[in-house]
Amino acid sequence: MATDRVSKSSKWFSNKGLRLSLHRRRSKSSSALSSPNSLMSPYTPKKDRAREDELKEVFRHFDSDGDGRISALELRAYFRSIGEYMSHEEAQSAINDLDADQDNMLDFQDFLRLMKREANDYDDDLKTAFEMFEMEKGSGYITPKGLQRMLHRLGDAKSYDDCVAMIHVFDIDGNGVLDFHEFNQMMA
């Protein structure tokens, strides 16, 4: 039953518009956050505080009346502002799926739980993508040959030298391959 609740609300909150909005807000802020999974990754207390402050700013964007809770009406208004239609029933259902205290509204703690789940979903998707580029499955790195092979499969044929150059841009440790951390930075 809990899985059903998550999947219903995920339809809306996994929406590219929400991620686009979060990205826009991050790029406008002074925070160094660069990807959805960085919102909830373990960091120093100072960065944790900056992350929470940023999420409060995003929350305030949803909470148009400033009462500290997001109503179905406010949720619909947000999605309307990004060009997505959401019925009142869909908005209320999404809220009910996430509402821990059953007051038919999302408070900041509900919103934080949602953002943690979104960050975990993003991380899972990124790991799956990384594995697709690995030449040797389970090796933990992407080689120029693996990058070339996958780009060719995606219809973007590149020379081996092009792939070496692409990897070089994000190869932080200079070993000629991308590990997961470097791939994450590249995708951010």
Side-chain angles (χ1 to χ4, degrees):
M1 183 60 102
T3 304
D4 291 341
R5 289 174 52 128
V6 169
S7 62
K8 287 179 190 175
S9 59
S10 290
K11 171 187 175 189
W12 292 105
F13 291 105
S14 292
N15 180 292
K16 65 183 177 186
L18 177 60
R19 288 193 176 147
L20 181 60
S21 172
L22 291 172
H23 174 71
R24 279 191 215 127
R25 293 199 164 283
R26 277 195 301 276
S27 64
K28 288 179 183 176
S29 75
S30 60
S31 172
L33 300 174
S34 60
S35 65
N37 65 334
S38 69
L39 291 173
M40 294 299 151
S41 301
Y43 283 101
T44 64
K46 185 177 181 181
K47 287 186 181 180
D48 285 343
R49 185 73 194 146
R51 245 184 333 276
E52 187 171 323
D53 289 345
E54 183 175 14
L55 287 173
K56 284 180 182 176
E57 179 184 339
V58 172
F59 181 82
R60 281 192 292 270
H61 180 71
F62 280 88
D63 180 22
S64 59
D65 66 5
D67 68 353
R69 302 178 302 167
I70 301 170
S71 68
L73 182 65
E74 290 168 319
L75 190 58
R76 289 184 68 204
Y78 167 78
F79 279 100
R80 186 174 37 250
S81 76
I82 61 168
E84 296 282 335
Y85 174 76
M86 177 185 255
S87 72
H88 181 76
E89 292 76 19
E90 289 170 321
Q92 194 59 58
S93 178
I95 286 174
N96 291 344
D97 290 345
L98 298 162
D99 181 20
D101 63 5
Q102 303 298 308
D103 66 351
N104 296 320
M105 300 181 102
L106 295 181
D107 61 23
F108 185 65
Q109 293 306 311
D110 296 328
F111 189 74
L112 279 179
R113 278 190 299 283
L114 168 67
M115 293 296 101
K116 285 179 184 178
R117 188 176 73 220
E118 287 296 307
N120 289 338
D121 289 348
Y122 175 83
D123 201 37
D124 290 344
D125 291 346
L126 197 61
K127 286 176 185 172
T128 300
F130 179 80
E131 291 167 358
M132 291 173 59
F133 283 89
E134 286 180 302
M135 188 70 163
E136 293 178 36
K137 298 301 176 206
S139 65
Y141 56 85
I142 299 171
T143 64
K145 192 70 175 166
L147 178 60
Q148 183 183 30
R149 183 195 62 184
M150 184 50 70
L151 290 175
H152 185 272
R153 285 183 182 171
L154 294 171
D156 188 15
K158 299 283 186 197
S159 73
Y160 180 82
D161 289 338
D162 288 341
C163 293
V164 167
M166 291 169 70
I167 285 178
H168 179 73
V169 171
F170 295 97
D171 183 15
I172 297 167
D173 60 10
N175 66 352
V177 296
L178 295 180
D179 61 26
F180 182 73
H181 174 71
E182 293 164 332
F183 181 73
N184 188 5
Q185 294 301 311
M186 180 180 77
M187 299 304 287

